[in-house]
Amino acid sequence: MNDWAVSIAIASKPDEFTSVLIDAYTDLEDNTAPYVTARPPRACLQTISALPEVNDWLEGCKLHRECPKQDDVRLPTRLVDVGSDVSSDVVKIWHSEGTTGRYAALSYCWGGPQDGALQSGNLEQYQQAIDIKKLSKTIRDAIK
C-alpha cells in the first residue's frame, strides 16, 4: 500500500464563517500521483541523500506561478555562507556587495539576546569563521 494522507483543519467561532484547510499528498508510485502532486514530507533533511530532493523542490518552484522568481535577485548585504561540505561545523559571513544570485532564508524569532548573534564587535571574526556549535539548535538545523 502506498503512502497518502489528507488532513482537515476546521476553525470557527459561534456565528462566524468556518474555514477548512485540506492538504493532500501521495507518493510517486500511487495511481493518483499525476493528479495529487504534493509528496509526503521527508522525515530527515539532514542527510546528503536529501539534497537532490530539495534541489528538485527549488527547481519545481520555477514552474509555479505562486512561487517568486529565484533567478537574478539582488542578494542581501550579508549572508551566511554554509559552503558545500555538509560535515563542516564552520560557516562564515559573506558580503554580497550588490551581486545577484539565489539564496534560502530562515524566518526565525530570536526571542531575546542570543549567544552567537551577529554584532558589530564580532563581524570581522564571523567573516573568517563561525563555529555552528555555538549557535541555537534551530539555526544549526537550518544550516545543515
Side-chain angles (χ1 to χ4, degrees):
M1 178 185 252
N2 294 326
D3 291 335
W4 63 273
V6 174
S7 63
I8 301 174
I10 300 175
S12 68
K13 294 182 181 177
D15 302 323
E16 289 186 16
F17 176 75
T18 300
S19 62
V20 177
L21 173 65
I22 300 175
D23 292 325
Y25 60 83
T26 186
D27 62 22
L28 282 173
E29 293 76 31
D30 192 274
N31 293 344
T32 61
Y35 311 103
V36 180
T37 58
R39 301 294 167 241
R42 202 180 244 275
C44 180
L45 292 174
Q46 294 181 311
T47 62
I48 196 74
S49 65
L51 291 178
E53 185 173 4
V54 172
N55 191 53
D56 287 347
W57 292 341
L58 292 172
E59 290 299 315
C61 280
K62 291 180 179 180
L63 305 174
H64 302 149
R65 289 183 303 185
E66 306 85 16
C67 293
K69 298 300 175 210
Q70 300 174 10
D71 295 329
D72 298 322
V73 297
R74 186 178 182 98
L75 297 175
T77 303
R78 290 184 293 264
L79 294 166
V80 177
D81 180 358
V82 298
S84 58
D85 182 2
V86 295
S87 65
S88 176
D89 285 335
V90 177
V91 296
K92 63 182 177 180
I93 296 293
W94 177 70
H95 282 271
S96 67
E97 300 178 7
T99 59
T100 59
R102 294 171 61 186
Y103 69 99
L106 169 65
S107 178
Y108 178 73
C109 179
W110 286 93
Q114 302 274 321
D115 291 336
L118 178 63
Q119 300 172 358
S120 58
N122 61 16
L123 176 59
E124 192 171 312
Q125 174 192 348
Y126 279 14
Q127 289 174 316
Q128 301 303 312
I130 303 170
D131 183 357
I132 66 170
K133 293 175 189 169
K134 295 180 180 178
L135 301 174
S136 73
K137 182 168 178 3
T138 301
I139 295 176
R140 287 194 315 264
D141 289 347
I143 288 171
K144 290 294 182 178

